[in-house]
Amino acid sequence: MKSKLFGVLLLIETAALLLTAAVAWHYQRVAGETDMRCFLLTAALTGSVGLLLYNIGNMFRRSALQIRDSFLVVALSWVLFSLFGMLPFLMYGTVDNVTDAFFETMSGFSTTGATVLNNIDTQPHGILFWRSVMQWLGGLGVVVFTLAFIPSVAKGSKKMSLFAAEAPGLSVEKLAPTMGATSRLLWIIYIALTLLCAIAYSLGPMNTYDAVCHALTTVATGGFSTHQASIGYFQSSYIEYVCVLFMFLAGVNFAMYHFLFARRFRVIAQNEELRWYVVLIVAFTLVFIGRFYFSPHFEVITGEQLAAHPVGWGDRIRTALFHVVALLSNTGFQGQNYDYDMWGRLFLIPTVALMIIGGCAGSTSGGIKVVRVIVLFKYIKKSVYELIHPSSVYTVKISGQSVEELSVKRVVSFFSLFLILFMVNLVLLTASGMSLEESSVSFLTCFSNYGPGSGITGPSSTFADVPTFAKWLLAFDMLVGRLEIFTILLLLTRNFWRAK
């Protein structure tokens, strides 16, 4: 069963590569670009391996996937996708080594948006389209896509565990009678948002190609752009506000859209995570607007730093809103005023805080997720309350419903593991030659699937100058952040491999 599922997943990637080859063929005809051959060769290799694995799976007696198999399939599928997906970058010469190729590809599929490319504007259209397609496939997840449109592949298996291993969040909620139907519903919403986003972009100064590519990465909350200057390349307030709208929508739990069309407005109104998601955006936008206005008066900043600040209330509001939504949705796009490293030290702390939090569970965004932060604070409140009133019974509630004790424990464990992972990365990254600040923010941005970091990995730079060892470690952090700690942690335990 595992072999057959891996085969189907690789055939899906093959289809995406062939679609990209068609785009490259078009631009070979109209612009003389030469990257189509790279995608055809990669598609042939990927498809051959996919068919081989699929046939091997058919040769043996089918056995249903168990829970531990689900975690293994999900984790390895992302690695397989990245190994085959990096080949066009190497064949065309976009990068000249395996490390950079794997880093760029894992960043794509994990929707992190961190890049090693310093020459994005000179890349052919096929290469840039492939970067966008990678992020779009990774937005909801390739395994969820398989459950949605090829449910027979995992027939008889524990589809809930497959879904839960890839879908981020506190819990997995069925929106339809089966997990296959739920997956299809999520992908229909995902595709609809992408189409609406592409149309909205095309009504501005974006051409059709740019509109499609940016729609794919906006709704996936990935952040890859077809230009080195990202969204700021277009110098358009309209484009930035459209981007803000769809980054915000992509950061919302997709279940809310199902409830919206089902006219279950009360469920939406009672959703505590959505309320806090909106509150955080409004509150931090006001914080950044205030800092843009007041920081020259109470912080020592240079003339160069002041020149990087937005000028006028309109620019301040747009810049603050764009920055906050890009951070909280973990999209990583950059607007016209983008260099938060140059804004001053007071801007870095709230930037990192939003980067860590991320969007809502059940969305395409990364980060810890708003719901986990809510549960953690309510658990702390519960602990304090029980110290004051030992005989009282206090339960953690979200949206008026009690959260199971097991779920609360998992949240606390998640934060504990996050801190341990942070400390381990801090030691290893600084040992590789990065500064303490660069190591801290680079780990946080990769784990949260945001993209830009600080210093040599900051918004005006790329990850090109990061040491080789650090790139492999940060690529691993992207995978851990995208699939969340427990999925990867299980694979590293002895009991997981011993279990029957």
Side-chain angles (χ1 to χ4, degrees):
M1 176 62 78
K2 291 193 290 291
S3 176
K4 185 175 182 179
L5 185 51
F6 282 132
V8 170
L9 291 170
L10 288 179
L11 290 175
I12 291 172
E13 185 173 21
T14 301
L17 285 162
L18 290 174
L19 174 63
T20 308
V23 173
W25 172 75
H26 170 73
Y27 284 99
Q28 178 175 299
R29 290 175 58 248
V30 301
E33 294 177 351
T34 59
D35 57 329
M36 180 185 72
R37 178 174 170 271
C38 304
F39 291 104
L40 290 177
L41 289 174
T42 304
L45 177 61
T46 307
S48 298
V49 176
L51 286 172
L52 177 64
L53 291 174
Y54 184 85
N55 289 327
I56 289 174
N58 278 334
M59 289 170 59
F60 298 97
R61 183 176 60 86
R62 291 188 182 183
S63 58
L65 289 176
Q66 302 304 311
I67 293 178
R68 83 171 196 143
D69 297 325
S70 301
F71 288 99
L72 182 64
V73 165
V74 168
L76 288 183
S77 65
W78 286 74
V79 175
L80 274 176
F81 261 58
S82 297
L83 288 174
F84 285 96
M86 73 180 184
L87 295 180
F89 297 128
L90 289 169
M91 290 181 183
Y92 182 75
T94 299
V95 295
D96 59 2
N97 60 85
V98 172
T99 299
D100 284 350
F102 186 83
F103 182 94
E104 189 78 11
T105 310
M106 180 58 76
S107 179
F109 281 118
S110 64
T111 70
T112 302
T115 183
V116 296
L117 302 185
N118 291 310
N119 56 347
I120 292 175
D121 291 275
T122 63
Q123 296 300 316
H125 289 77
I127 290 290
L128 298 180
F129 185 74
W130 177 235
R131 294 170 84 239
S132 299
V133 169
M134 286 192 303
Q135 292 206 319
W136 193 75
L137 283 175
L140 276 185
V142 289
V143 174
V144 174
F145 181 90
T146 305
L147 292 178
F149 299 108
I150 319 176
S152 60
V153 174
K155 187 176 181 180
S157 301
K158 297 182 181 296
K159 296 181 182 178
M160 176 68 84
S161 59
L162 267 173
F163 190 102
E166 186 172 61
L170 188 62
S171 62
V172 177
E173 181 177 8
K174 279 189 178 181
L175 304 179
T178 65
M179 288 312 302
T182 297
S183 301
R184 278 192 295 278
L185 181 58
L186 291 175
W187 268 93
I188 289 170
I189 295 169
Y190 189 53
I191 293 169
L193 282 175
T194 305
L195 290 173
L196 289 173
C197 185
I199 292 170
Y201 275 143
S202 65
L203 296 177
M206 280 190 183
N207 59 36
T208 302
Y209 173 82
D210 280 337
V212 171
C213 287
H214 284 89
L216 294 174
T217 57
T218 301
V219 177
T221 62
F224 273 166
S225 175
T226 55
H227 300 282
Q228 199 75 44
S230 191
I231 294 295
Y233 170 86
F234 300 96
Q235 295 293 304
S236 168
S237 297
Y238 169 80
I239 292 295
E240 288 195 23
Y241 280 120
V242 169
C243 188
V244 165
L245 172 62
F246 283 95
M247 286 190 297
F248 168 81
L249 294 175
V252 173
N253 188 330
F254 277 31
M256 296 300 105
Y257 301 118
H258 168 69
F259 296 140
L260 178 65
F261 288 110
R263 298 181 179 273
R264 297 174 63 181
F265 304 120
R266 178 173 292 183
V267 176
I268 299 174
Q270 290 176 344
N271 188 273
E272 193 170 351
E273 183 184 31
L274 179 59
R275 289 202 305 271
W276 277 107
Y277 178 62
V278 174
V279 167
L280 284 170
I281 289 174
V282 174
F284 275 90
T285 299
L286 293 174
V287 167
F288 277 99
I289 291 172
R291 288 198 165 181
F292 283 135
Y293 180 77
F294 289 109
S295 62
H297 302 289
F298 63 80
E299 182 186 7
V300 178
I301 59 175
T302 65
E304 188 179 5
Q305 288 176 319
L306 189 61
H309 284 209
V311 179
W313 286 106
D315 284 347
R316 288 174 186 147
I317 292 171
R318 188 191 70 251
T319 300
L321 181 61
F322 187 95
H323 185 60
V324 168
V325 177
L327 282 165
L328 203 58
S329 65
N330 291 125
T331 307
F333 275 137
Q334 299 164 344
Q336 296 175 58
N337 301 101
Y338 66 90
D339 196 351
Y340 53 79
D341 266 350
M342 288 297 295
W343 290 347
R345 308 306 301 168
L346 286 175
F347 289 89
L348 187 59
I349 294 176
T351 292
V352 172
L354 288 171
M355 185 189 299
I356 296 170
I357 294 171
C360 300
S363 69
T364 61
S365 62
I368 289 172
K369 301 294 184 299
V370 175
V371 68
R372 282 200 180 100
V373 177
I374 297 172
V375 170
L376 180 66
F377 277 98
K378 289 195 173 186
Y379 176 75
I380 294 172
K381 179 181 176 181
K382 170 183 179 292
S383 300
V384 172
Y385 187 85
E386 288 175 343
L387 286 173
I388 300 172
H389 305 284
S391 60
S392 300
V393 177
Y394 186 88
T395 58
V396 174
K397 291 185 176 182
I398 297 290
S399 304
Q401 296 183 348
S402 296
V403 180
E404 294 181 1
E405 190 67 24
L406 179 60
S407 296
V408 175
K409 288 180 179 179
R410 283 177 179 169
V411 169
V412 176
S413 298
F414 181 92
F415 278 95
S416 301
L417 289 169
F418 168 73
L419 290 175
I420 293 171
L421 193 61
F422 174 72
M423 294 305 297
V424 171
N425 271 266
L426 203 59
V427 171
L428 294 176
L429 291 174
T430 51
S432 72
M434 299 176 68
S435 70
L436 187 63
E437 180 180 304
E438 289 167 349
S439 300
S440 302
V441 182
S442 294
F443 162 73
L444 294 173
T445 191
C446 288
F447 178 83
S448 301
N449 305 132
Y450 173 65
S454 182
I456 62 170
T457 63
S460 61
S461 305
T462 67
F463 283 70
D465 295 329
V466 170
T468 299
F469 170 77
K471 286 177 183 174
W472 284 104
L473 180 58
L474 292 172
F476 174 75
D477 293 331
M478 295 176 199
L479 178 64
V480 174
R482 175 58 182 83
L483 298 183
E484 306 205 333
I485 299 173
F486 291 112
T487 299
I488 302 300
L489 181 65
L490 282 172
L491 301 180
L492 302 178
T493 60
R494 185 179 301 175
N495 289 337
F496 175 85
W497 298 101
R498 285 182 173 179
K500 294 182 180 180

